[in-house]
Amino acid sequence: MQFEEIKSLIEKELPEAILGEDLDSTPTTLIIKPDSIYQLCSFLHLNENTYFDSLSCLTGLDNGEEKNSMEVIYNLYSIPFDMHLMLRVVLDRNNPLINSVSEIWKTADWHEREAYDLLGIYFNNHPDLRRILLPNDWKGYPLRKDYVEPEKYHDVKVKY
Amino acid sequence: MAESFLIKSEPLKYKESDLKTEEMIINLGPQHPSTHGVLRLEVVTDGEIVVDVVPHMGYLHRCFEKHAESLAFNQTIPYTDRMDYVAAMNNEWAFVMGVEQMLGIDKEIPKRIEYIRVLVAELNRIASHFIAIGTFGMDIGAITPFLWMMRDREHILRMLEWASGARMLYNYIWVGGLFYDLPVGFEERAKEFVDYLKPKLKDSETLLVNNKIFIERTASIGVLPADLAINYGINGPMLRGSGLKFDLRKIDGYSVYPEIDFDIPVGTGKVGTVGDCWDRNWVRYEECWQSIKIIEQCVEKLLGEHKRTKEFDPRALVPKKIRPKAQDFYVRAENPKGELGFFFRTDGRADQPLRCKARSPSFSNLSVIADISKGCMLADLFAILGSMDLNMGEVDR
């Protein structure tokens, strides 16, 4: 199935979901409305023509204070059809909140925890949203563009 | 003070009050012989039975993604080596491949360079699988195979050191080329090594893989069905152990793999159930044979069709400035442990990416541990953990 076909299939099923597309990226990207990500993913996962059964990668991204937005990028892959699709969701930087897809792909559980840990993106309905790589009393989100590392952690100097 | 420090920074997920009367929490790690690196497992047990497993990682976290955002692409290559430090060639190859595809020069790379890349990557794959098989044997009590495998792995490391100058962290594959051509005589040495390795590999099959005690400890334990594996984003030998013929070298057909003849071994449940610990180990063992086959074909090509010439310069295509156009890019490659993916966002103005995310195979592989080890015996937990072939440098990045 080609990118255009997937797009028209989504437009038929969830007419509100697509906000735009990015054809320069590899694989080609659909820009998705944040509210409809869970419905869209579960549709793409279950539909027999797309059957995106694996989530290769989930990336959180901070665009900095100037653009005042954050993004979550989903790399979908369908094993039986050998088909890629990238989904992009743009979030408000002051309130980065999105529905979790960990019910659809269990691998999203840890990837979402990582995005939460390093960028401070919150995932609704996530079963266990804790920090994953950093200790749970760490202050701040290291992959944000304006992150300044703390002077001390538990009275131990951090910066050298 | 020390005690409160520990409790505050790394808590347990379970509290005393969550437990039933017979249950207790056991902390495994942070360091344990069955994990190559630092991993703490919080295990809730009821006698000998495992009730739940909660992995705590991040001890090694060396901020690869933050570094990649502030360094030029070619400066990041040494950092990719340090992710899966037992298969550094494969890591840097995946990264370099992504950058080359973004620049659009991946089709122009001379065949000789590509064959050298396949050769060193497959050598490194054997070295990585040897660690996996050897330490897996050691996890459940067999020391001799481990020593044998480490001895043979050392030959590979010496050869790669001869080529690149470093024993484990090579920085050999560069964007657009290689650090240097192979040293004179390397191809012949590789051929000799393969002939040396074949009987040794056979020995380890008799000694470990088909050993009765080993089978008793691993067959039908930690069974991972293929659909669950896909749902958890698991691939590589773990997914193939579950019986799915899925290998990115065949499916994506990157580099010169389409020109090379090799098979994809899958788990068949020969001694137990499909997807058990024995199957996963057996897939790795069979992949060593396939890698040998690939190496033989590479050597043949490197001595014949694409042989060394005076004019050949492996750095001829190395760009002066690596500045891909503004785009999002996802690249993936088949590493010894599974799919290694890199997500790049570039803005077209800077030499470094705006965001570089590494999707490491061990990270996904580890996430399934709670699901497949619930209800097993405590001693089997080590078999399951060992059969996953985790590398904590990659889980934490």
Side-chain angles (χ1 to χ4, degrees):
Chain A
M1 204 182 225
Q2 296 301 310
F3 176 70
E4 288 299 324
E5 289 173 71
I6 300 173
K7 204 182 137 190
S8 59
L9 196 72
I10 297 168
E11 272 166 353
K12 214 180 279 172
E13 182 71 25
L14 293 159
E16 303 279 283
I18 300 176
L19 293 179
E21 59 184 28
D22 180 2
L23 298 174
D24 287 337
S25 64
T26 315
T28 34
T29 305
L30 285 175
I31 301 163
I32 302 296
K33 206 171 135 198
D35 300 341
S36 40
I37 190 75
Y38 179 82
Q39 280 166 304
L40 178 68
C41 283
S42 92
F43 169 69
L44 290 174
H45 175 62
L46 293 173
N47 189 295
E48 57 186 15
N49 294 320
T50 51
Y51 201 61
F52 284 105
D53 51 355
S54 73
L55 178 73
S56 300
C57 184
L58 188 152
T59 313
L61 202 149
D62 180 20
N63 284 326
E65 265 178 341
E66 229 170 84
K67 284 187 182 164
N68 206 22
S69 66
M70 278 186 159
E71 289 172 25
V72 182
I73 290 146
Y74 301 81
N75 282 95
L76 273 48
Y77 179 64
S78 154
I79 291 177
F81 296 119
D82 186 24
M83 186 163 67
H84 296 265
L85 182 68
M86 192 140 76
L87 303 177
R88 188 196 297 166
V89 172
V90 184
L91 301 172
D92 180 17
R93 193 163 184 272
N94 302 316
N95 181 27
L97 181 73
I98 188 166
N99 282 332
S100 163
V101 293
S102 59
E103 254 176 59
I104 306 166
W105 299 288
K106 285 192 174 145
T107 180
D109 185 334
W110 279 24
H111 278 285
E112 283 173 354
R113 270 175 76 186
E114 197 188 319
Y116 162 72
D117 187 3
L118 301 176
L119 287 137
I121 297 169
Y122 287 84
F123 292 90
N124 259 339
N125 305 327
H126 188 284
D128 183 24
L129 200 63
R130 290 178 292 137
R131 283 192 181 263
I132 188 165
L133 294 173
L134 295 169
N136 77 324
D137 57 352
W138 191 266
K139 294 272 182 305
Y141 303 107
L143 279 184
R144 289 201 179 184
K145 295 288 177 198
D146 56 354
Y147 174 73
V148 185
E149 51 189 313
E151 285 288 316
K152 279 180 175 179
Y153 174 69
H154 285 284
D155 300 330
V156 182
K157 225 174 141 197
V158 173
K159 269 187 183 170
Y160 281 96
Chain B
M1 189 240 155
E3 203 176 283
S4 66
F5 171 83
L6 282 175
I7 291 165
K8 257 169 90 184
S9 59
E10 273 303 308
L12 300 163
K13 191 188 168 193
Y14 284 91
K15 287 191 216 70
E16 285 281 305
S17 53
D18 297 338
L19 303 179
K20 291 185 193 136
T21 332
E22 305 82 14
E23 290 176 355
M24 64 185 221
I25 299 173
I26 298 178
N27 274 301
L28 288 174
Q31 271 155 319
H32 190 273
S34 66
T35 56
H36 319 297
V38 213
L39 166 73
R40 184 166 70 100
L41 290 181
E42 177 189 337
V43 187
V44 181
T45 61
D46 179 354
E48 283 276 299
I49 309 287
V50 174
V51 177
D52 199 7
V53 185
V54 185
H56 293 266
M57 63 268 199
Y59 294 90
L60 273 175
H61 189 47
R62 45 171 97 76
C63 321
F64 168 77
E65 291 166 18
K66 195 78 177 169
H67 276 307
E69 277 177 24
S70 53
L71 290 167
F73 284 104
N74 50 1
Q75 290 173 320
T76 315
I77 298 171
Y79 288 91
T80 59
D81 285 347
R82 281 151 181 79
M83 287 199 302
D84 184 358
Y85 35 81
V86 299
M89 278 303 181
N90 298 74
N91 292 345
E92 57 191 54
W93 193 18
F95 185 84
V96 162
M97 199 158 64
V99 179
E100 281 170 359
Q101 284 174 12
M102 281 202 291
L103 291 168
I105 58 169
D106 57 313
K107 295 278 181 292
E108 299 158 28
I109 308 290
K111 276 278 155 66
R112 183 173 165 83
I113 289 181
E114 291 285 11
Y115 273 108
I116 293 174
R117 285 176 178 181
V118 174
L119 174 66
V120 291
E122 292 301 326
L123 278 171
N124 215 178
R125 188 185 304 274
I126 296 180
S128 170
H129 281 344
F130 271 20
I131 291 225
I133 300 168
T135 53
F136 183 38
M138 198 174 62
D139 287 341
I140 49 186
I143 300 288
T144 315
F146 171 71
L147 296 172
W148 287 13
M149 297 235 141
M150 290 304 262
R151 176 197 62 197
D152 297 334
R153 169 179 174 262
E154 200 58 36
H155 290 292
I156 300 178
L157 295 191
R158 286 206 185 131
M159 280 168 73
L160 295 178
E161 182 179 357
W162 186 25
S164 70
R167 188 171 165 274
M168 278 178 86
L169 306 161
Y170 309 108
N171 192 15
Y172 181 64
I173 299 172
W174 284 8
V175 178
L178 298 166
F179 157 69
Y180 210 72
D181 201 351
L182 287 178
V184 178
F186 190 93
E187 294 94 329
E188 289 83 356
R189 181 75 191 80
K191 218 174 185 172
E192 275 170 38
F193 171 70
V194 164
D195 292 336
Y196 159 84
L197 194 65
K198 278 176 187 167
K200 303 286 181 213
L201 205 52
K202 201 83 204 150
D203 282 353
S204 56
E205 187 186 0
T206 9
L207 187 71
L208 184 73
V209 182
N210 287 335
N211 183 312
K212 189 161 189 306
I213 303 168
F214 182 79
I215 291 174
E216 292 275 309
R217 285 295 310 272
T218 54
S220 299
I221 282 166
V223 177
L224 174 68
D227 57 336
L228 189 71
I230 294 166
N231 204 255
Y232 268 104
I234 289 166
N235 33 37
M238 264 184 93
L239 179 58
R240 291 194 282 277
S242 299
L244 192 72
K245 223 173 187 160
F246 183 80
D247 190 315
L248 296 179
R249 290 175 290 176
K250 285 270 190 211
I251 283 163
D252 286 2
Y254 57 91
S255 188
V256 285
Y257 280 118
E259 298 170 24
I260 298 170
D261 168 47
F262 64 101
D263 299 325
I264 310 170
V266 289
T268 50
K270 204 166 134 196
V271 298
T273 321
V274 180
D276 58 8
C277 293
W278 191 88
D279 266 358
R280 288 195 275 277
N281 191 59
W282 185 79
V283 164
R284 290 196 189 96
Y285 173 77
E286 279 295 309
E287 270 185 31
C288 290
W289 286 110
Q290 297 304 323
S291 290
I292 286 179
K293 215 166 140 189
I294 297 173
I295 289 167
E296 281 175 334
Q297 292 171 52
C298 283
V299 168
E300 203 179 294
K301 290 270 185 191
L302 286 170
L303 287 172
E305 212 176 312
H306 305 293
K307 66 170 180 285
R308 181 193 314 272
T309 52
K310 272 212 172 111
E311 301 78 48
F312 178 72
D313 179 8
R315 297 191 200 173
L317 269 174
V318 176
K320 289 267 176 326
K321 257 207 158 49
I322 301 170
R323 193 170 288 175
K325 67 176 183 355
Q327 60 186 315
D328 287 0
F329 200 93
Y330 182 73
V331 64
R332 56 180 192 169
E334 183 72 31
N335 258 33
K337 293 174 181 65
E339 169 187 333
L340 177 67
F342 286 102
F343 172 85
F344 296 104
R345 150 104 28 122
T346 48
D347 65 351
R349 290 192 299 262
D351 288 345
Q352 60 245 37
L354 280 176
R355 176 85 165 92
C356 169
K357 153 114 183 174
R359 175 250 188 255
S360 50
S362 296
F363 184 76
S364 302
N365 292 358
L366 177 60
S367 63
V368 80
I369 189 163
D371 251 30
I372 61 171
S373 57
K374 270 177 197 163
C376 75
M377 304 291 274
L378 194 52
D380 294 338
L381 182 62
F382 299 105
I384 296 171
L385 197 59
S387 75
M388 287 181 162
D389 184 23
L390 300 167
N391 191 311
M392 297 321 287
E394 202 173 47
V395 175
D396 297 351
R397 298 182 298 276

